[in-house]
Amino acid sequence: MDIAALIAWMVTALGGFYMLGTWIRRGGVRQQQSGTSRLPAPVIFGHFALAAIGLVVWIIYVVADKSALAWTAFGLLLPVALLGFVMLARWIPVYRDRAAVPATPAAATAQGADASVPAERHFPLPVVLAHGLFAVVTLVLVLLTALGIGGS
């Protein structure tokens, strides 16, 4: 089960890296000053940092098989999940408004971002859904492993 959790965590991380890269490339950091982006940079980067640290702890757990490491990884996943839900709640209105203000190529800046369109509007729905689904699976598998259910 620990390897299944590792695989799920890595798939989740790939989706997260893709969305983080999209957000940065589309001007999310610059949009913080103008208020265009609904996703605060501290929430995004905190989510990323805690998830990355947790993944490193989990990899060490898989190698060392120490229960304290499993519980540490699970403890790190709890705020990651909370921040993820915060971002999801703030992203949903942006996704719903996508038809109201379509991104036009003519309005794009030299960096490839339209200043009036939130950077997170460019997150593909399948990536957001898969990231969330794999995140839940990861959280459950890590908890079950920490509890000693299913063997490690």
Side-chain angles (χ1 to χ4, degrees), residues 26-52:
R26 296 293 185 155
V29 175
R30 288 186 309 276
Q31 291 178 350
Q32 293 299 294
Q33 287 98 16
S34 68
T36 305
S37 178
R38 292 183 49 92
L39 300 180
V43 172
I44 287 181
F45 291 113
H47 179 79
F48 167 75
L50 288 171

Side-chain angles (χ1 to χ4, degrees), residues 54-152:
L55 178 56
V56 170
V57 170
W58 190 254
I59 291 169
I60 295 168
Y61 164 75
V62 169
V63 172
D65 197 26
K66 300 290 182 192
S67 177
L69 292 171
W71 284 108
T72 301
F74 179 72
L76 287 165
L77 277 177
L78 293 177
V80 170
L82 179 62
L83 292 172
F85 282 121
V86 167
M87 288 188 292
L88 177 65
R90 295 179 70 102
W91 173 81
I92 288 172
V94 172
Y95 176 74
R96 287 184 178 161
D97 290 344
R98 73 194 177 286
V101 185
T104 60
T109 64
Q111 289 82 19
D114 180 351
S116 67
V117 175
E120 57 272 17
R121 178 166 299 152
H122 300 281
F123 295 167
L125 181 61
V127 175
V128 173
L129 294 176
H131 181 72
L133 176 65
F134 276 96
V136 170
V137 168
T138 300
L139 185 69
V140 169
L141 289 174
V142 168
L143 175 60
L144 292 175
T145 302
L147 291 171
I149 299 172
S152 63

